[in-house]
Amino acid sequence: MVKKPRRLKKLTLTRRIVQWSILLLFLSPMVLVKVESDNFFYGSLVSSSIFGISLTDPFAALQILMATREISFVYMGGALIIFLFYLLIRGRVFCSWVCPMNTLLELTDKLRRFIKLPNLELNRHHKKYYAAAVIVLSFLIGIPLFEIFSPIGYIMKGLLFSAGIGMWLIVSIVLFELLVSKRGWCRYLCPLGGFYQSIGKAGLFQVKFDHDVCVGCDKCRSVCFSHPEILEPGIFRESQYIKDDDCSLCGACVDNCPFDALEITVRETPIVTNQYYDKKSHQK
Ligand code: SF4
Ligand code: SF4
């Protein structure tokens, strides 16, 4: 097989533009509000309004529902829009394309490339249970628990630049990812990531392997945002598609494969029959 020359990492570049645009959008009310009181956009990642349409983070809406035991139709309607969006695309797309915490934590990955550091591995499926625990605890104590301590919220409030519990929480997570566990918060601990992981098997898009071209070089595993093991069924030719609920469609594997063996495609078959088609294409 012919190794392709270095080329533009289109998906990674697009993702960076989307990440920073979203971050600037959420910071824009601080600037725009001084110019004009009726902005086209205001709010935070938890709850916002764009051109008069209310949008709510579904995980936050669920916690608020449990904590207050009252249904707010504005919150629930906005949450349904966002929930259906991620259900249609793929759950953890939020993590790699939208979450500002990930935008910050990806920098630790770059630092880790220069220094050999320990890498504590935990069970990545447990974060779904942490999400469920947050919902139950919100109900029991009457407080939307993750929203109070969410590092994402602290970043958006700008506490990173001032003293306080928010700054120390963010610094602790950065140090944990840098010194203890590669992508540890995002891969193993974040309840919001766990919430989106729980709907991560649905969605129209998947990474597809071309087994005629893949040489098993392992490069894709080394760059995977979510966890190297989610690419194994493809590399070991057990499946032509990455169906793991943790795949965030970050595109790093696609961009970094030296043989162009990967692409992000629209799902061709319903999820329940994928296994059958995988076996069939394997027998050819
Ligand atoms: S798909 Fe992964 S293992 Fe296969 S050639 Fe590309 S980088 Fe190597
Ligand atoms: S499998 Fe590919 S697209 Fe999915 S999270 Fe890993 S690197 Fe990103």
Side-chain angles (χ1 to χ4, degrees):
M1 286 302 153
V2 184
K3 192 171 167 178
K4 300 277 186 312
R6 275 175 76 89
R7 69 225 189 287
L8 186 68
K9 294 180 177 176
K10 286 187 206 149
L11 284 167
T12 307
L13 184 65
T14 311
R15 195 165 64 83
R16 293 273 178 265
I17 293 169
V18 172
Q19 281 178 311
W20 285 100
S21 302
I22 289 173
L23 195 58
L24 289 175
L25 180 71
F26 280 103
L27 293 176
S28 68
M30 288 183 209
V31 181
L32 293 176
V33 83
K34 289 178 188 137
V35 182
E36 193 182 352
S37 56
D38 239 353
N39 296 324
F40 76 98
F41 171 83
Y42 63 86
S44 66
L45 269 172
V46 172
S47 177
S48 59
S49 169
I50 187 157
F51 296 115
I53 301 169
S54 295
L55 300 172
T56 311
D57 164 11
F59 188 51
L62 210 50
Q63 289 168 69
I64 293 165
L65 174 70
M66 288 295 153
T68 61
R69 297 160 206 199
E70 279 174 17
I71 294 180
S72 157
F73 288 102
V74 177
Y75 264 145
M76 295 318 278
L80 191 63
I81 295 171
I82 299 291
F83 182 78
L84 291 176
F85 172 79
Y86 286 115
L87 194 67
L88 196 68
I89 306 293
R90 197 146 178 162
R92 288 207 76 205
V93 161
F94 168 82
C95 304
S96 65
W97 290 76
V98 177
C99 180
M101 194 65 196
N102 175 59
T103 309
L104 172 70
L105 290 171
E106 277 190 71
L107 298 174
T108 63
D109 253 0
K110 296 206 188 302
L111 286 172
R112 269 182 165 266
R113 273 184 221 154
F114 298 106
I115 325 161
K116 185 96 184 126
L117 292 160
N119 182 18
L120 174 72
E121 299 234 3
L122 302 168
N123 188 323
R124 66 190 169 88
H125 294 287
H126 284 177
K127 62 185 178 296
K128 288 185 277 193
Y129 305 132
Y130 305 150
V134 164
I135 300 293
V136 173
L137 283 170
S138 298
F139 177 78
L140 293 177
I141 61 178
I143 293 170
L145 196 61
F146 186 64
E147 301 321 305
I148 305 293
F149 299 105
S150 164
I152 304 163
Y154 284 127
I155 283 192
M156 301 315 293
K157 285 175 210 150
L159 283 176
L160 183 62
F161 306 106
S162 62
I165 187 177
M167 184 191 76
W168 291 112
L169 182 62
I170 291 165
V171 168
S172 307
I173 292 175
V174 169
L175 289 177
F176 175 69
E177 291 222 349
L178 188 61
L179 304 174
V180 182
S181 176
K182 183 179 172 173
R183 305 316 318 271
W185 169 257
C186 299
R187 282 181 180 173
Y188 311 119
L189 300 175
C190 178
L192 184 55
F195 172 78
Y196 281 116
Q197 184 186 3
S198 63
I199 57 164
K201 271 204 190 287
L204 285 173
F205 299 96
Q206 286 180 321
V207 174
K208 182 181 179 185
F209 269 75
D210 183 344
H211 285 141
D212 292 335
V213 179
C214 172
V215 297
C217 72
D218 244 14
K219 178 71 185 171
C220 52
R221 264 169 44 92
S222 70
V223 296
C224 180
F225 165 91
S226 297
H227 199 280
E229 72 185 18
I230 73 178
L231 284 141
E232 285 168 7
I235 296 172
F236 299 145
R237 296 171 185 249
E238 290 157 9
S239 170
Q240 202 182 355
Y241 297 93
I242 300 302
K243 290 172 267 178
D244 199 288
D245 56 9
D246 248 345
C247 176
S248 67
L249 294 179
C250 69
C253 55
V254 178
D255 274 349
N256 286 283
C257 173
F259 300 93
D260 280 345
L262 299 169
E263 60 176 334
I264 292 179
T265 60
V266 175
R267 187 194 291 276
E268 288 169 6
T269 56
I271 198 160
V272 282
T273 54
N274 259 357
Q275 222 164 352
Y276 166 75
Y277 279 96
D278 281 341
K279 275 188 193 143
K280 214 175 153 202
S281 67
H282 220 63
Q283 285 161 4
K284 280 183 193 171

